[in-house]
Amino acid sequence: MNTFFKALNDSTRRQILDMLKEKDLSAGEIAEAFDISRPSISHHLELLKQAGLVDTERKGQFIYYSLNTTGLEDATQWLFKLMNNNTS
């Protein structure tokens, strides 16, 4: 869960997740949307992957990223449980 919140703690990573809501994107397509280095984008993508927020699929020489809603659902359920335990 710590990795999940660490991943969401950065505005660039949140912007990447917003982009992936629309469609799957290659790392290059994601990098083009930002004015930061490709290694930095790769680092952000790796943190999102470690947090379970994105999935990857290799297509030829490109890696495509997609939003993994399971990680978001798990965190949401945990938050709701936490909130319900505090209101009882």
Side-chain angles (χ1 to χ4, degrees):
M1 194 65 68
N2 288 341
T3 308
F4 174 86
F5 287 111
K6 179 180 178 181
L8 292 179
N9 192 37
D10 183 88
S11 65
T12 299
R13 291 190 285 272
R14 291 191 305 269
Q15 288 175 330
I16 291 170
L17 292 174
D18 281 338
M19 291 170 61
L20 293 174
K21 282 191 317 188
E22 303 301 320
K23 64 178 183 174
D24 297 354
L25 297 167
S26 70
E29 291 170 321
I30 294 168
E32 288 174 3
F34 296 93
D35 191 27
I36 58 178
S37 70
R38 287 188 184 251
S40 291
I41 290 294
S42 293
H43 175 72
H44 287 298
L45 291 169
E46 181 59 29
L47 283 173
L48 290 169
K49 186 176 175 182
Q50 289 175 7
L53 293 168
V54 298
D55 290 322
T56 59
E57 181 182 354
R58 180 172 287 280
K59 295 180 183 177
Q61 65 181 357
F62 300 103
I63 297 175
Y64 281 82
Y65 291 83
S66 60
L67 190 62
N68 179 355
T69 57
T70 303
L72 294 169
E73 290 168 1
D74 291 346
T76 302
Q77 287 177 358
W78 178 80
L79 287 169
F80 280 128
K81 284 182 186 177
L82 182 66
M83 290 171 38
N84 287 335
N85 286 340
N86 287 332
T87 59
S88 308

